[in-house]
Amino acid sequence: MSSEIFDKYVDEKLSNPIEVESRIETRKKGVSWVRITILFLFAIFFIYLRRFVNTLQELTFYVGPDGPEIEEQFLEHLKTNLAGNWSRKYTSIPHLAGQGKELLEFTAEKFKEYGLETEVESFDIYLNYPVDNGLKLIKDDSEVVYEASLKEDELEDDPTTIGDDLIPTFHGYSASGNVTAQFVYVNYGTKKDFETLDKLGVELEGKIAIARYGGIFRGLKVKFAQERGCVGVLIYSDPGDDNFNEDQGYKPYPQGPSRNPSSVQRGSVQFLSQMPGDPTTPGVPSQGNVTRVDPYNSIPKIPSLPVSFAEIEPILKKLNGHGINSSEDISSDWVGGLADFKYWTGPNPDYTINLYNEQSYDIRPIYNVYGKLRGRDPSEGYIIIGNHRDAWIKGGASDPNSGSASMLEIIRGFHELSKTGWVPERTIIFASWDGEEYGLLGSTEFGEKYGERLKGHCYAYLNVDVSVGGTGLKLESSPSLNHVLNTALKQVQYPGSETPQSLYEHFYETPDKKIGILGSGSDFTVFLEHLGIPSVDLGFDHGDNDPVYHYHSNYDSYKWMSEMMDPGFKYHQAVAKYLGLVALKLSGQKVVPLKMAEYATELKGYYDELSARIPDDWLSKKITKRRRCHERKHNVNETTIEELVVLTKLSLSDAIGSSIKLDNKTSYLQDLWDNSVDMPFWKRIILAGWIKYTNIRLLLLERTFLVEEGLKGRPWFKHMVYAAGRDTGYEGFALPGMKEALDDSDFWELVKWLKTIYSVTQDLNVRIGYEKESLMESSFFNTK
Ligand SMILES: *[C@@H]1O[C@H](CO)[C@@H](O)[C@H](O)[C@H]1NC(C)=O
Ligand SMILES: *[C@@H]1O[C@H](CO)[C@@H](O)[C@H](O)[C@H]1NC(C)=O
Ligand SMILES: *[C@@H]1O[C@H](CO)[C@@H](O)[C@H](O)[C@H]1NC(C)=O
Ligand SMILES: *[C@@H]1O[C@H](CO)[C@@H](O)[C@H](O)[C@H]1NC(C)=O
Ligand SMILES: *[C@@H]1O[C@H](CO)[C@@H](O)[C@H](O)[C@H]1NC(C)=O
Ligand SMILES: CC(=O)N[C@H]1CO[C@H](CO)[C@@H](O)[C@@H]1O
């Protein structure tokens, strides 16, 4: 119908001038070149007008299958489940960062086969591959009494654990070295653990620290040890941290659910909370002849090795009776599950360790694959869905290739939709990142290269790293995405329940459950924390009843996944359905479904909580220093801290109020659009323009939180509200600048952040506020 109106319109408008022109021509016979030129120009004009009208029509009068219908079709297509096929493929050859060419090609081919415009991009990264290692226990500086193999057992039952092509146990970005020294047990090696040892007078200078995995990102354990003057670090997986244990009668993998004693957790020891990405190119893409800097701001100078609990026990038990009896004099939190080690700190002067670690460092290529599903409206922004491809091991059935399998299923589902003529409103880009494991390399370099473009066009980044490492759904996101995440939760069934249960019911089973906040440890980091793009990270996480997940070990294999963790690959498919629906909503709804009320409420909550921690005697202090943010208009001079806090809280309350209004307006606009079929076409075009304006505002809202100078001592992190924890790495904290100032009792740093938060809040209010709403409030768009 609409197309007819336009054809008629175009015909009327265009036939007349040509007629007039030809009448003139009949009078002036002989000057045919003028006539030809004029006709030619009109033809061009006609073609362009036609094209313009077509585009306008396409954008405003698209009458393909709409949202709910498409979502249903998508879920229908995903009743076929090929996740197991993809899993088998991705776990068949080693694919350390920069390696596994066959899987790179497989990914690119699948993207193409499923209709994506596919591209491979490489970056040149400074990184290490393992050469050799050794670990010896030495008595009286002479006699080697024990030597660790530093290898995981080959299991006959599990082909992924056997072969010449297995990846050695090592740490990404660890330093080469050959050190011999006494050793000390440092528990999890957290900041607090090291402070405890300092207080108790346990000497760490010149020692090798032995830490168990857990609590914080492993690279920070090495960082803290290095800062204490340690010469090397060993990190092992303590069975006391597992939910199933041989002590309790559970057999180890592959016979049962507890940890295989020889399992080793590889992993990166980059100082993740300092900066991800290539350590030699902070903030800029590692391509061509980029200028490189000294990497040791974000990677260690001392060697480290990962060890199994079977191989650390003979070493640790030599500490019994030496140093501090931690269970007695520190806390039971220091005691793990080793039978022969009684968790003394050491050192034992009779024993030393020789730790030998040889790494080959070079500038090496890594390869991202991008696949674009082009949206209907080229002037609209896009969303990105990403998963990393590289793994520490040949398998990686869980990390990361459960996510790779889920993502391919989404792509397959969208391809099936495309076959019936469906095109999303806005573009969806799929990314298969390389080098995540070493330090979020592929995604970070991508973000650093295309930062400005991404800030101007990317509505959201959806990350799926491990889609199945257990059976409990984990959801962490920018609060602006909570609304769309919650809506989609209700549409997918939880695969782990015998009676029908939605993901929503599963996720909110525990009272007071909330969608979490993002820290770091996966590829969303650059998008959210460097570029201010709303992000989400999700997947089924390890829970108390799930078999021990052999993280970064050879036993994270296809066999473990297909037989113990996810037989039938139902959890893989649930993630594909869920994330696919979220992507369909974000890319398909005319008004981008980003909602601000929850964000503003959360923000006020964080601020209330932190400001309550400001010491009383600081509150009445005047802020006399000159204003820092001279580029910002808002004046907060000469006031007391307390006044500033009150002002900020008022401003945040305002933000909540106006966010509720904004969210209401965006829902209203979407409603109008959904019911605009009978609207006169010119009104509909105005409405489309209005929606476009609204979308641009929504696109830019999260960018308000970017602070150019970044966090203290780590300028790469520019998001005021969320960042990787300085001392934790994985775990994120809200308002990190303010929190760290309070943690450090740093008055002027706190003042700086209070001012920054105040002025950002003011900006936020300006951006959220909907001043020009008269047109909206009027009955302009009423069709009846
Ligand atoms: C998926 O795997 C199953 C079982 O191995 C096989 O029968 C089927 O042909 C595979 N399908 C595709 C599309 O690879
Ligand atoms: C490591 O150093 C020790 C001496 O401290 C030496 O005996 C040993 O050969 C060295 N190991 C390697 C592999 O170079
Ligand atoms: C390398 O640097 C030179 C000058 O610094 C520049 O002209 C050239 O384009 C650069 N090459 C690449 C590949 O970036
Ligand atoms: C260490 O402390 C534990 C817990 O108090 C105690 O049972 C154990 O006997 C202590 N070990 C020694 C050698 O004193
Ligand atoms: C949302 O908008 C509708 C109509 O536009 C209005 O009736 C309602 O009160 C608004 N709700 C809020 C919370 O502002
Ligand atoms: C609270 C306060 O003293 N504010 C002052 C900040 O500075 C401006 C002029 O720049 C004054 O007008 C305000 O009174």
Side-chain angles (χ1 to χ4, degrees), residues 590 668-669 672-674 676 679 682-692 776 780-781:
K590 192 76 179 175
Y668 172 66
L669 277 178
L672 274 178
W673 183 260
D674 291 341
S676 63
M679 206 180 265
W682 58 276
K683 274 196 183 180
R684 202 160 189 226
I685 288 173
I686 291 174
L687 179 59
W690 196 276
I691 288 176
K692 193 157 281 283
M776 302 277 309
F780 181 78
F781 288 114

Side-chain angles (χ1 to χ4, degrees), residues 479-538:
S480 50
L481 288 166
N482 287 1
H483 171 78
V484 69
L485 290 171
N486 279 325
T487 313
L489 274 179
K490 294 176 184 158
Q491 293 171 259
V492 179
Q493 290 297 302
Y494 177 60
S497 169
E498 314 220 312
T499 54
Q501 188 190 30
S502 69
L503 281 185
Y504 187 90
E505 288 160 327
H506 158 73
F507 186 75
Y508 289 105
E509 226 163 22
T510 34
D512 302 325
K513 178 79 171 272
K514 275 171 101 171
I515 294 178
I517 69 176
L518 289 163
S520 185
S522 196
D523 291 307
F524 56 81
T525 310
V526 70
F527 292 95
L528 180 66
E529 292 162 25
H530 189 63
L531 300 174
I533 291 164
S535 301
V536 58
D537 186 41
L538 59 88

